[in-house]
Amino acid sequence: MDTGPKIAQVAALIGDPARANMLSALMDGRTLTASELAYVSGVAPQTASGHLAKLSDAGLLALAKQGRRRYFRLASPHVARVLEGLMVVAQEGPARQRNLWRGGETLRHARTCYDHMAGRIAVAIADRLVQQSFILLDEDGGQLTDAGRSFFDELGVDLRLVSRRRVFCRPCFDWSERRPHLAGAVGAAILRHALEHDWVEHVRDSRALVVTPVGVRELATTFGIEGAPPTDGCKGPVASLSRGRAAVIPI
Amino acid sequence: MDTGPKIAQVAALIGDPARANMLSALMDGRTLTASELAYVSGVAPQTASGHLAKLSDAGLLALAKQGRRRYFRLASPHVARVLEGLMVVAQEGPARQRNLWRGGETLRHARTCYDHMAGRIAVAIADRLVQQSFILLDEDGGQLTDAGRSFFDELGVDLRLVSRRRVFCRPCFDWSERRPHLAGAVGAAILRHALEHDWVEHVRDSRALVVTPVGVRELATTFGIEGAPPTDGCKGPVASLSRGRAAVIPI
DNA sequence: TAAATACTTCGGTCAAGACCGTAGTGTTTC
DNA sequence: GAAACACTACGGTCTTGACCGAAGTATTTA
C-alpha cells in the first residue's frame, strides 16, 4: 500500500514552520481563533487562513464557527500524539543545541501537553508515584495500583471518569527532561485537579504553567517536590511579530 | 520554547514523498542499503543519497557502513511511533478514498509494523486475547494477565526478554482496520514467534506477510482465527520505477 | 592494474508553495 | 445604514529544495 505518500502529505502539513507553530499552540487542548493562530504563527491573517484551511481539510484541526469567528482545535488526540512524538524525535535527534532554550525556562519547568502536564514538575510527580508504588510504569505502558487508587481518592482526584476495572496510564516521553511523565486518563486527571485547586495556572498565550504558592506547598506535602521554579532572567513568552517568512515565535 | 520550528524540521523531513517512502520501507525494522532505498523511493541514487544524508543528520536514521555499502535503519522506536501515528492521522483524516488500496489487499491482511504485526490478522489476535482475558487493553495501555502469561508460556512464546514483574503491552492503532492491535514487547514477541514457527513469511521487498498453510492451521487452533486471506486479483507489490518527481511506489 | 560497484558531490533546471497586498464576503456593533 | 471586525479569495513575487546528468571518491572483484 502506498502509506508513504499518505504520511508524507500529513507530515508536509506539519512540516511548515507557520503551521507547526499553530499546531504547537493548540497542543494544550485550547481552542483558538484564526486571528490568534495567525499571531502565534507569525504570519499575516491571509496566509494563516490558507494554512488553517489546509489543516482542517486534512483532518488535523476541527473547526467551530461562532459568529464571525472561527475556533480551531486539534481534531483528535491522535494528532496530539503525533506532535508529541515529533518533539521527542526532534529532541533526541542530533546533539546540536540541545539545551538552548529561548526564554523557555518557564516551559521547561511546567507546561501542558495536550491534556496533561509536562516538564520538570510532571516528571518529578511521575517519579514519585512510581517510587511509592502508586503506579507501575515502563516503556510500553503503565497502570494504577490499588494503593495508587486509594492515594488519588484521598487526594480528591477525580478518577471516576476513567474508572473501568483497570486504570491504565500512558508514559509520554518528555522532550525537555528526556524522561517519561504521565499522560492518558491519569495524567489528565492530575492536571485537572491541579488547575481546579489552583496549584498551577495557565500563562496567557502560552503552554507554560506557573506553580502558585498554594501549589508549591501542596506539591511539597503531597509529593515531596520542590515546586518553585529556579529563578532566572527570562520567563514568559516574548511576542515578536516579524515580517517575512514565518519566524521562530517563542510559545 | 520554540518547539514549533523543531517539530517542523522533523516533519518536513518526513513530508517529502521520496523520504516518506524510504521511512515506510524501513518501518518493518529491516536495514536496507542506499541503493535499495533509492529504488523503493523512486528516485535516482544521487537524489536518494542526499535524502539519506538529511535523514541521518537529523537522527531519524542510523547508518552502518560495511564495505562499499551503507546500511540504513530507523534510528529508534520513537521514529517508528511517529510514523505509526502519522499513518493513523492520515487514515482518519478526510473521508476521501479511504478504502482505495493499490494492490494492498495482502498488506491489509497481514504486515509488519516495525517490530510487531498489523492488519486484519493482528487485530483479530488482539481481539481474541482480550476476549479470553489474556490481556487487558484500553486506549491508554494494556497488560498481560496471569492467565495470559500462562497461555503464552504453554504456546512457547518467549516472553523472558520482557518479564519484569509486569508485562505491559501497547495498543497500536491499526490504520487499515481502524482498531487497535498489539504493539510493544508482547506484540514483538508474537511476531517473533510467528516467524520462527513459520506461521507467516515476509514478502520480499515489502512489509506484507503471507500466512503459510501451517499458519492457517495454527491461527485457527490457537486463536480461532481464519488465517487465509480473502482471494482477490491483486496481491504483492508492483515495482514501478518512474521518472520525474518521486511517485507513488506500492510498498 | 583495470574494471565494476556503491555511493557522493557539484551544478543547473524547474516546480511547488509560502508570503503578502488588494479586494472581497459575512457578521456584529453603533 | 455605516463602520468596524473576522475571515477568505485572488494574483503576483520570490525562495526553497527536489531532481538528475556528469563527474569524482572509496571499495571490491577480475
Side-chain angles (χ1 to χ4, degrees):
Chain A
M1 218 281 305
D2 47 351
T3 71
K6 278 195 169 186
I7 74 173
Q9 259 184 320
V10 176
L13 280 172
I14 307 174
D16 174 80
R19 288 193 293 258
N21 277 327
M22 291 173 172
L23 292 166
S24 290
L26 294 167
M27 264 291 281
D28 61 0
R30 282 181 301 182
T31 65
L32 297 176
T33 67
S35 305
E36 290 168 323
L37 288 166
Y39 178 74
V40 298
S41 64
V43 295
Q46 316 91 296
T47 307
S49 177
H51 285 316
L52 290 169
K54 283 180 190 176
L55 291 171
S56 300
D57 287 348
L60 297 198
L61 294 185
L63 165 62
K65 303 183 191 186
Q66 210 174 95
R68 59 187 169 188
R69 313 206 172 187
R70 323 216 123 181
Y71 288 91
F72 293 88
R73 60 178 167 77
L74 296 190
S76 81
H78 292 135
V79 177
R81 293 201 190 178
V82 167
L83 297 172
E84 256 177 49
L86 285 169
M87 285 181 194
V88 172
V89 171
Q91 190 58 22
E92 77 185 357
R96 22 162 187 164
Q97 342 96 335
R98 196 167 272 161
N99 285 323
L100 240 177
W101 308 85
R102 304 203 188 201
E105 190 47 49
T106 308
L107 266 181
R108 181 161 192 170
H109 191 63
R111 63 181 182 277
T112 53
C113 178
Y114 197 55
D115 59 359
H116 57 274
M117 275 173 70
R120 244 184 316 252
I121 295 286
V123 170
I125 290 176
D127 282 347
R128 182 67 171 189
L129 290 171
V130 167
Q131 184 204 322
Q132 305 264 72
S133 296
F134 290 155
I135 59 171
L136 306 168
L137 204 64
D138 78 9
E139 169 88 353
D140 287 329
Q143 186 199 337
L144 195 64
T145 63
D146 289 337
R149 185 184 282 279
S150 305
F151 171 77
F152 282 119
D153 274 350
E154 279 173 34
L155 195 57
V157 170
D158 189 3
L159 285 173
R160 279 172 306 173
L161 298 173
V162 291
S163 57
R164 287 171 247 179
R165 279 172 316 168
R166 298 277 170 168
V167 176
F168 293 120
C169 46
R170 186 170 65 82
C172 174
F173 203 78
D174 197 293
W175 48 260
S176 59
E177 299 304 300
R178 304 179 60 69
R179 312 237 343 267
H181 58 241
L182 283 186
V186 175
I190 294 173
L191 172 59
R192 209 181 314 124
H193 184 87
L195 284 168
E196 278 169 7
H197 291 76
D198 297 317
W199 293 6
V200 294
E201 286 173 358
H202 281 294
V203 174
R204 215 179 103 78
D205 295 332
S206 163
R207 297 171 50 207
L209 294 168
V210 284
V211 182
T212 64
V214 177
V216 172
R217 198 178 59 232
E218 292 295 327
L219 285 172
T221 58
T222 312
F223 298 104
I225 293 173
E226 174 53 58
T231 48
D232 73 337
C234 56
K235 40 167 54 176
V238 181
S240 70
L241 251 190
S242 71
R243 286 275 141 176
R245 291 254 157 170
V248 171
I249 301 289
I251 294 293
Chain B
M1 218 279 304
D2 47 353
T3 70
K6 279 194 168 185
I7 73 172
Q9 257 182 323
V10 176
L13 281 172
I14 308 175
D16 174 79
R19 288 192 293 257
N21 277 327
M22 291 172 171
L23 293 167
S24 290
L26 293 169
M27 264 291 281
D28 61 0
R30 285 180 299 182
T31 65
L32 297 176
T33 66
S35 304
E36 290 168 321
L37 288 166
Y39 178 75
V40 298
S41 64
V43 296
Q46 316 93 296
T47 307
S49 176
H51 286 315
L52 290 168
K54 284 182 189 175
L55 290 171
S56 299
D57 287 349
L60 298 197
L61 294 185
L63 164 63
K65 304 183 192 185
Q66 211 172 93
R68 58 188 170 189
R69 313 205 170 187
R70 321 218 126 179
Y71 289 91
F72 293 89
R73 60 178 168 76
L74 297 190
S76 82
H78 292 135
V79 177
R81 293 202 189 178
V82 167
L83 297 173
E84 255 176 52
L86 286 170
M87 286 181 194
V88 172
V89 171
Q91 190 58 22
E92 77 185 357
R96 21 159 191 167
Q97 342 98 333
R98 196 168 273 161
N99 286 323
L100 241 179
W101 306 84
R102 306 201 188 202
E105 188 48 47
T106 309
L107 265 180
R108 182 160 190 169
H109 190 63
R111 62 181 181 277
T112 53
C113 179
Y114 198 54
D115 59 359
H116 56 274
M117 275 174 70
R120 243 185 316 253
I121 295 286
V123 169
I125 290 175
D127 283 347
R128 181 68 170 189
L129 290 171
V130 168
Q131 183 204 321
Q132 306 263 72
S133 296
F134 290 156
I135 60 170
L136 305 166
L137 204 64
D138 78 8
E139 171 87 352
D140 287 328
Q143 187 199 335
L144 195 63
T145 62
D146 289 337
R149 184 184 284 278
S150 305
F151 171 76
F152 282 117
D153 275 350
E154 281 174 34
L155 195 57
V157 171
D158 188 4
L159 285 172
R160 279 172 308 174
L161 297 172
V162 291
S163 58
R164 288 172 246 177
R165 279 174 315 168
R166 299 277 170 168
V167 177
F168 293 120
C169 47
R170 187 169 65 82
C172 174
F173 203 77
D174 196 292
W175 48 260
S176 61
E177 299 304 299
R178 303 178 60 69
R179 314 234 344 266
H181 57 242
L182 284 186
V186 175
I190 294 174
L191 173 60
R192 209 181 314 121
H193 184 87
L195 284 169
E196 279 169 8
H197 292 75
D198 296 317
W199 294 6
V200 294
E201 286 173 358
H202 280 295
V203 174
R204 216 180 101 76
D205 295 332
S206 164
R207 297 171 49 207
L209 295 168
V210 285
V211 182
T212 63
V214 176
V216 171
R217 198 178 61 232
E218 291 296 326
L219 285 172
T221 58
T222 312
F223 298 105
I225 291 172
E226 173 53 60
T231 50
D232 73 335
C234 56
K235 40 169 53 176
V238 181
S240 69
L241 251 190
S242 71
R243 286 275 141 175
R245 291 254 156 173
V248 171
I249 302 288
I251 294 296

